[in-house]
């Protein structure tokens, strides 16, 4: 059983607020990510989406494709329409060797709207989560048949945000639907990532490692900020630089024989938080947590 460490390019260029790092070329993201100590990258807005183009670029940096975000719309699309929409993304991931797809239902989401407080995020009933789960299972069975497993990303500002909503989605989906454990999003939402890791250990197929600055988080909640304003204020940071108990989480991953990627996904303003500095800190901290927990880290 082994794990690898990867990073999301959000540290350099932001997908939800593209003006952040807009001038930073992909070459800088990849070269600095490799320099920081990572083995792979998730996709971002600077990445070509043709495998014959992206593959050689990653190879030139000795990096692997970890995964990539897909904006699901199963609340408004049929299973057949969703599968059709997902085909190009699935082809890219499958061709370049990624084993999981970061998937999030984005119908009505508000995390990309800077003027919308997080309290205004969409909510659906248990019956609606059950219906979503039934459709998501069918889509996941299809992607799994192609060699790529859906890793559902619970996310601030979306219909699956809270710990209770994660529990319901797991209840109403089959094991074909994997869970992406995002420590930062779950903590931001008031949940307990340690408890979720233990409860859904057999479903976790991907892990996003972001930490939170406690004082900034309290301020964001007190003032009911938008997701983007909270991010710009510095609520997120790399693992080990905030207040989340990563060692306990990694101990749980070790106990459950987790194997897969541990991905630093810590969006900050690159003009404030120097990307290479924080990427290096994140990589070093992940290596330390792996060593302390006994997780077998490989390149």
């Amino acid at each position: 059983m082994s794990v690898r460490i990867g990073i999301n390019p959000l540290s350099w260029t932001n997908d939800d607020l593209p003006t952040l790092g807009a001038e930073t070329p992909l070459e800088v993201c990849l070269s600095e990510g490799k320099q920081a100590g990572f083995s792979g990258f998730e996709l971002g807005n600077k990445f070509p989406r043709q495998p014959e183009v992206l593959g050689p670029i990653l190879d030139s940096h000795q990096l692997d494709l970890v995964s990539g975000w897909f904006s699901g719309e199963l609340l408004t699309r049929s299973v057949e329409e969703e599968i059709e929409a997902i085909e190009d993304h699935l082809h890219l991931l499958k061709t370049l060797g990624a084993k999981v797809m970061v998937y999030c239902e984005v119908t009505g989401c508000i995390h990309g709207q800077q003027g919308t407080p997080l309290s205004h995020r969409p909510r659906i009933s248990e019956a609606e989560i059950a219906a979503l789960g039934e459709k998501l299972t069918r889509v996941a069975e299809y992607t799994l048949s192609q060699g790529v497993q859906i890793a559902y990303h619970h996310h601030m500002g979306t219909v699956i945000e809270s710990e209770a909503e994660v529990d319901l989605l797991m209840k109403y989906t089959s094991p074909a639907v994997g869970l992406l454990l995002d420590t930062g999003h779950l903590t931001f939402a008031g949940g307990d990532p340690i408890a979720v890791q233990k409860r859904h250990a057999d479903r976790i197929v991907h892990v996003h490692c972001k930490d939170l600055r406690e004082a900034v988080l309290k301020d964001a909640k007190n003032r009911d900020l938008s997701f983007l304003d909270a991010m710009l204020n510095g609520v997120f940071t790399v693992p080990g630089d905030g207040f989340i108990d990563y060692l306990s989480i990694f101990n749980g991953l070790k106990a459950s024989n987790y194997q897969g990627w541990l991905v630093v996904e810590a969006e900050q303003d690159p003009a404030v938080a120097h990307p290479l500095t924080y990427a290096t800190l994140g990589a070093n901290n992940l290596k330390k947590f792996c060593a302390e927990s006994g997780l077998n880290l490989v390149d």
Side-chain angles (χ1 to χ4, degrees):
M1 299 295 181
S2 59
V3 296
R4 304 179 73 194
I5 61 170
I7 192 165
N8 189 289
L10 281 170
S11 296
W12 290 268
T13 63
N14 194 287
D15 284 4
D16 292 322
L17 196 60
T19 54
L20 296 183
E23 71 289 347
T24 304
L26 177 61
E27 172 71 21
V28 170
C29 301
L30 298 178
S31 61
E32 291 191 352
K34 184 66 177 180
Q35 181 182 342
F38 293 99
S39 300
F41 262 82
E42 290 188 334
L43 294 171
N45 60 30
K46 300 284 179 67
F47 285 62
R49 297 307 168 107
Q50 302 78 31
E52 64 276 12
V53 177
L54 180 56
I57 293 173
L58 292 174
D59 288 344
S60 70
H61 291 275
Q62 298 180 297
L63 290 164
D64 288 333
L65 179 62
V66 176
S67 184
W69 170 283
F70 181 78
S71 294
E73 297 182 43
L74 274 172
L75 289 176
T76 56
R77 289 198 287 228
S78 69
V79 170
E80 293 73 23
E81 289 168 335
E82 191 80 343
I83 289 174
E84 182 178 358
I86 219 167
E87 281 289 5
D88 287 346
H89 189 56
L90 177 60
H91 175 68
L92 173 62
L93 297 179
K94 178 174 66 172
T95 303
L96 295 187
K99 299 302 182 185
V100 295
M101 176 190 298
V102 176
Y103 182 104
C104 181
E105 175 62 45
V106 301
T107 301
C109 68
I110 53 92
H111 61 274
Q113 301 172 16
Q114 191 170 357
T116 305
L118 277 168
S119 63
H120 292 197
R121 63 108 173 179
R123 299 172 190 269
I124 56 177
S125 66
E126 180 172 349
E128 289 170 312
I129 292 177
L132 170 64
E134 188 275 330
K135 294 167 74 176
L136 181 58
T137 293
R138 290 164 61 192
V139 174
E141 288 170 348
Y142 172 72
T143 67
L144 195 55
S145 75
Q146 302 299 304
V148 178
Q149 185 167 21
I150 279 179
Y152 192 90
H153 191 343
H154 52 93
H155 197 288
M156 297 300 297
T158 71
V159 294
I160 306 295
E161 176 187 282
S162 70
E163 183 174 342
E165 288 160 348
V166 170
D167 288 346
L168 287 173
L169 187 69
M170 292 296 95
K171 175 182 178 181
Y172 291 114
T173 52
S174 86
V177 178
L179 177 63
L180 187 164
L181 176 66
D182 189 301
T183 53
H185 278 275
L186 201 56
T187 304
F188 198 138
D192 181 352
I194 297 171
V196 169
Q197 187 281 320
K198 290 179 180 178
R199 195 157 59 247
H200 300 298
D202 60 337
R203 301 287 294 274
I204 295 171
V205 297
H206 202 48
V207 180
H208 275 180
C209 302
K210 61 159 63 74
D211 218 328
L212 294 167
R213 296 182 173 99
E214 191 167 17
V216 184
L217 176 62
K218 288 179 179 177
D219 176 68
K221 290 191 170 186
N222 286 340
R223 295 196 286 138
D224 194 18
L225 297 182
S226 68
F227 179 77
L228 290 177
D229 279 346
M231 180 271 294
L232 287 170
N233 284 353
V235 71
F236 296 123
T237 186
V238 296
D241 190 44
F243 72 95
I244 293 176
D245 181 3
Y246 268 95
L247 185 56
S248 292
I249 293 168
F250 277 40
N251 283 337
L253 292 172
K254 170 66 176 178
S256 66
N257 293 317
Y258 174 77
Q259 54 183 330
W261 288 93
L262 303 167
V263 179
V264 170
E265 192 220 31
E267 52 265 56
Q268 301 186 76
D269 183 345
V272 176
H274 184 249
L276 177 57
T277 299
Y278 276 89
T280 303
L281 177 62
N284 289 342
N285 284 342
L286 286 186
K287 292 173 185 177
K288 180 184 72 171
F289 294 137
C290 285
E292 292 174 352
S293 65
L295 280 169
N296 181 34
L297 177 63
V298 298
D299 289 338

